[in-house]
């Protein structure tokens, strides 16, 4: 067959195939296996779909931070005094979209950031007025992580005084008065010679119950470290500012002590107490558990130790002894925290009192961070009794910081208890599933202690009435404030300030010329507030 013939045959085949398919499309009717009446679809009820098994999601916050706190030390297995049920609560769907910080953390004292180079520290950490410059200092003997910035609250209006050259710092070339650091009568303020007593060795295990005799021995151990005549001169390591106000009868004054960067940070012990009662609620507890994981990584330095407590009508420790800050201990703490659920009643007094079962090493400040709504509905529930009983027994041995998880928290209990026990308070008023978002900000306030167990003693001839009676510890980038008054006409107040840096005592003697410092009309009201708080602690 020729090529032309083959092409004609192929064309004919194509035409026949197309014609056949068209005939089939129009000539044959489609059939279905089942016919469905559309009206019947509207009359039948369809049940909702059910999920047979639920898998919990991981916590939405990843904990991988702060590389300077890991060490090679091993941690014992985490175990609680009593088993706690698994946590079945999770963040609600409508909460997850808010988790990344659209609601600000609760307000804290305003801080002005002062970045510090890692190579050396040659200036006071406080931000002073432009017209005044800090004393130059030698390079410090310690370093701070690169990511860490030192901060300090703004000073109240008043004169800033430079230390005289006799104590190792050059006098400021400013037309401002200088405190006299000449020793005042030591008989009025010195503690005397150190007595020969057996060295105190703190327990390695948590005590089974609060033993007041043990508590007194721990207090005595702290006093023994401070009871020396050759304490280091504190004037070299702190700055002091002051202001005053006169009325018809009194001269009110405020003294503010801030550390220079040459005062080294000391290791600390911190216990985190989490309210796991029914009143706190599942959403708040989940947020606080996550925050506790965070601050284990952010609020601790190398050499620090920690423990965790869950409390309801009774309390349960995560560990039977202090834990070193290492990866294994953090992992054990994370596992223990994940098992906490909210139920039961709240024994606030019993729990706060329980911190005295933790052995206090006199060379290390002990700080308790209590996270609660403050609603005491079990045990001692009267706020006045809780304030007076605990403050009297503690007597400054443990610094208490408290975080209120909601706006309706017991403010009187939280604010007054911390103020009288060397601490500070924080009240959160935002969304319940972000209730723990301000805990890290509060914990940052006590991260870097430089002077603990501070005592101030005014000379008898000053006639000063000053508050608070127990001063909080001094932390890097922070200030310790004293508000007092003397009969009008006194030209000066003289006092001793003493504290511990590890096992080393420091002491300073100051004379403050009241007639040569700036006036602050708010001081009378501030003194009255301090006096009212002190009255509630008795």
């Amino acid at each position: 067959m020729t090529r032309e013939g083959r092409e004609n045959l192929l064309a004919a085949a194509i035409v026949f195939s197309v014609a056949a398919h068209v005939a089939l499309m129009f000539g044959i009717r489609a059939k279905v296996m089942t016919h469905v009446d559309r009206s019947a679809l509207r009359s039948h009820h369809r049940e909702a779909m059910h999920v047979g098994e639920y898998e919990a999601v991981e916590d939405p916050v990843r904990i991988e931070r702060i590389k300077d706190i890991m060490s090679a030390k091993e941690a014992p297995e985490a175990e609680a005094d009593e088993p706690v049920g698994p946590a079945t609560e999770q963040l609600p769907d409508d909460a997850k979209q808010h988790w990344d910080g659209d609601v600000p953390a609760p307000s804290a004292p305003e801080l002005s950031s002062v970045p510090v180079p890692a190579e050396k520290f040659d200036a006071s950490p406080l931000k002073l007025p432009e017209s005044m410059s800090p004393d130059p200092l030698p390079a410090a003997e310690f370093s701070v992580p690169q990511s860490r910035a030192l901060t300090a609250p703004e000073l109240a209006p008043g004169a800033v005084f430079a230390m005289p050259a006799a104590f190792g710092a050059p006098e400021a070339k400013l037309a401002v008065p200088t405190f006299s650091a000449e020793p005042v009568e030591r008989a009025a303020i010195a503690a005397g010679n150190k007595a020969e007593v057996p060295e105190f060795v703190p327990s390695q295990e948590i005590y089974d119950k609060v033993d007041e005799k043990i508590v007194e021995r721990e207090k005595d151990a702290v006093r023994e470290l401070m009871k020396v005549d050759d304490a280091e001169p504190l004037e070299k390591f702190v700055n002091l500012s002051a202001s005053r106000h006169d009325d018809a009868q009194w001269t009110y004054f405020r003294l503010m002590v801030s550390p220079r960067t040459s005062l080294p940070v000391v290791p600390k012990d911190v216990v985190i107490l989490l309210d796991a009662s029914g009143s706190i609620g599942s959403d708040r507890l989940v947020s606080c558990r996550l925050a506790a994981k965070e601050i284990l990584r952010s609020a601790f330095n190398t050499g620090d130790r920690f423990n965790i407590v869950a409390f309801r009508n009774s309390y349960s420790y995560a560990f039977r002894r202090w834990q070193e800050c290492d990866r294994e201990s953090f992992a054990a703490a994370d596992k223990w925290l994940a098992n906490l659920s909210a139920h039961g009643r709240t024994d606030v007094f019993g729990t706060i009192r329980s911190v005295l079962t933790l052995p206090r090493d006199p060379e290390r400040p002990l700080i308790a961070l209590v996270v609660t709504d403050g609603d005491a509905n079990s045990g001692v529930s009267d706020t006045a009794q809780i304030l007076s009983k605990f403050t009297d027994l503690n007597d400054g041995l443990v610094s208490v910081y408290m975080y209120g998880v909601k706006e309706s928290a017991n403010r009187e209990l939280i604010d007054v208890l911390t103020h009288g026990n060397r601490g500070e308070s924080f009240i959160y008023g935002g969304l319940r599933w972000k209730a723990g978002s301000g805990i890290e900000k509060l914990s940052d306030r006590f991260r870097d202690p430089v002077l603990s167990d501070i005592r101030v003693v005014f000379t008898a001839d000053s006639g000063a009435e000053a508050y608070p009676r127990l001063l909080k510890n001094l932390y890097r980038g922070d200030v310790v404030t004293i508000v007092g008054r003397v009969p009008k006409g006194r030209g000066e107040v003289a006092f001793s300030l003493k504290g511990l840096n590890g096992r080393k005592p420091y002491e300073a003697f100051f004379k403050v010329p009241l007639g040569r410092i700036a006036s602050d009309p708010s001081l009378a009201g501030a003194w009255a507030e301090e006096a009212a708080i002190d009255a509630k602690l008795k």
Side-chain angles (χ1 to χ4, degrees), residues 4 56 60 85 126 129 137 177 208 225 280 301 314 319 331 392 397 411 425 449 469 490 508 512 520 522 525 533:
E4 182 178 357
L126 288 178
L137 296 170
D208 293 331
L225 287 180
I280 199 171
N301 302 313
S314 60
F319 306 98
D392 180 62
L397 190 66
R411 288 176 175 268
S425 61
R469 297 187 185 276
R490 294 286 167 85
V512 181
D520 182 358
S522 68
I533 290 175

Side-chain angles (χ1 to χ4, degrees), residues 2-77:
T2 64
R3 179 179 180 182
E4 182 178 357
R6 289 196 300 271
E7 292 177 350
N8 291 335
L9 182 61
L10 178 61
I14 293 173
V15 171
F16 178 78
S17 176
V18 171
H21 281 82
V22 171
L24 290 172
M25 290 174 59
F26 289 96
I28 300 176
R29 183 178 177 181
K31 296 183 179 180
V32 294
M33 296 179 64
T34 304
H35 177 70
V36 178
D37 185 359
R38 291 182 179 274
S39 62
L41 293 176
R42 293 189 293 270
S43 63
H44 288 281
H45 175 69
R46 302 179 117 184
E47 294 187 0
M49 181 176 67
H50 293 277
V51 178
E53 185 175 351
Y54 173 74
E55 295 183 1
V57 299
E58 296 181 356
D59 288 341
V61 176
R62 294 185 60 194
I63 313 297
E64 293 182 5
R65 295 175 39 182
I66 308 300
K67 298 180 180 179
D68 70 319
I69 54 179
M70 300 304 176
S71 69
K73 297 182 180 180
E74 297 183 355
E77 290 295 326

Side-chain angles (χ1 to χ4, degrees), residues 3 24 39-40 89 105-106 109 115 133 169 192 207 232 248 295 325 359 387 438 445 456 462-463 477 485 506:
R3 179 179 180 182
L24 290 172
S39 62
E89 72 278 8
S133 59
Y207 301 112
E232 292 288 329
I295 66 175
C325 292
L387 293 172
R445 305 281 293 173
V456 60
S462 292
R485 72 179 185 182
Y506 285 78

Side-chain angles (χ1 to χ4, degrees), residues 58-126:
E58 296 181 356
D59 288 341
V61 176
R62 294 185 60 194
I63 313 297
E64 293 182 5
R65 295 175 39 182
I66 308 300
K67 298 180 180 179
D68 70 319
I69 54 179
M70 300 304 176
S71 69
K73 297 182 180 180
E74 297 183 355
E77 290 295 326
E79 58 181 22
D81 290 344
E82 60 184 38
V84 292
T88 57
E89 72 278 8
Q90 296 293 332
L91 290 175
D93 293 336
D94 57 343
K96 295 175 183 176
Q97 61 181 325
H98 298 292
W99 188 258
D100 291 331
D102 59 331
V103 178
S107 60
E110 289 295 326
L111 305 178
S112 55
S113 180
V114 182
V116 178
E119 295 77 17
K120 64 178 183 178
F121 302 89
D122 56 1
S124 165
L126 288 178

Side-chain angles (χ1 to χ4, degrees), residues 145-399:
Q146 293 281 353
S147 61
R148 181 76 174 163
L150 305 184
T151 57
E154 294 288 343
L155 294 180
V160 178
F161 293 86
M163 294 298 116
F167 288 92
E171 294 189 15
K173 298 179 180 180
L174 299 170
V176 296
T178 302
F179 285 147
S180 169
E182 300 173 0
V184 295
E185 291 294 331
R186 280 187 177 266
I189 50 183
N193 296 324
K194 187 172 182 176
E196 293 295 331
V197 295
E199 182 179 358
F200 175 81
V201 179
S203 171
Q204 296 301 311
E205 298 285 338
I206 295 174
Y207 301 112
D208 293 331
K209 62 180 181 179
V210 178
D211 188 327
E212 295 190 15
K213 292 182 179 179
I214 295 176
V215 173
E216 287 304 316
R217 287 204 298 269
E218 291 175 334
K219 294 177 186 176
D220 289 339
V222 173
R223 297 187 190 106
E224 287 300 319
L225 287 180
M226 300 179 68
K227 197 182 295 183
V228 296
D229 288 332
D230 57 346
E232 292 288 329
L234 185 59
E235 295 92 339
K236 293 181 179 181
F237 302 97
V238 298
N239 293 322
L240 183 65
S241 65
S243 56
R244 62 153 182 81
H245 173 67
D246 295 319
D247 66 11
Q249 186 178 2
W250 303 97
T251 294
Y252 297 90
F253 61 87
R254 176 186 283 123
L255 307 172
M256 301 182 72
V257 182
S258 59
R260 298 181 182 181
T261 52
S262 54
L263 196 59
V265 173
V266 297
K268 64 183 183 292
D269 293 334
V270 178
V271 57
I272 304 170
L273 298 100
L274 292 177
D275 187 340
S277 65
S279 63
I280 199 171
S282 297
D283 293 335
R284 294 186 179 91
L285 181 58
V286 169
S287 179
C288 292
R289 281 166 34 197
L290 296 173
K293 293 180 181 180
E294 282 282 355
I295 66 175
L296 288 178
R297 277 79 174 176
S298 65
F300 290 82
N301 302 313
T302 301
D304 290 350
R305 302 184 302 184
F306 75 93
N307 209 328
I308 311 175
V309 177
F311 67 93
R312 302 178 182 89
N313 58 329
S314 60
Y315 57 88
S316 175
Y317 281 86
F319 306 98
R320 290 303 305 170
R321 60 173 60 200
W322 289 112
Q323 298 298 291
E324 303 292 340
C325 292
D326 56 45
R327 193 179 302 275
E328 291 77 14
S329 294
F330 289 163
D334 292 349
K335 183 178 180 180
W336 189 86
L337 285 166
N339 286 327
L340 289 183
S341 59
H343 60 84
R345 299 171 70 82
T346 315
D347 185 356
V348 175
F349 174 71
T351 300
I352 297 176
R353 188 174 181 270
S354 75
V355 302
L356 297 173
T357 64
L358 284 162
R360 163 75 198 270
D361 186 335
E363 300 179 18
R364 306 167 68 98
L366 198 168
I367 300 160
L369 173 58
V370 185
V371 180
T372 181
D373 57 12
D375 293 337
N377 50 36
S378 180
V380 179
S381 58
D382 181 70
T383 297
Q385 290 189 51
I386 296 174
L387 293 172
S388 61
K389 285 179 178 292
F390 176 77
T391 303
D392 180 62
L393 178 61
N394 183 44
D395 193 28
L397 190 66
V398 180
S399 298

Side-chain angles (χ1 to χ4, degrees), residues 517-538:
I517 57 180
S519 178
D520 182 358
S522 68
L523 285 180
W527 183 92
E529 290 177 3
E530 292 284 349
I533 290 175
D534 184 75
K536 293 180 179 181
L537 296 169
K538 297 178 180 178

Side-chain angles (χ1 to χ4, degrees), residues 397-418:
L397 190 66
V398 180
S399 298
V400 180
Y401 283 70
M402 295 187 75
Y403 181 90
V405 297
K406 56 186 179 183
E407 187 69 28
S408 60
N410 187 336
R411 288 176 175 268
E412 180 182 15
L413 173 65
I414 293 174
D415 292 341
V416 177
L417 186 68
T418 55

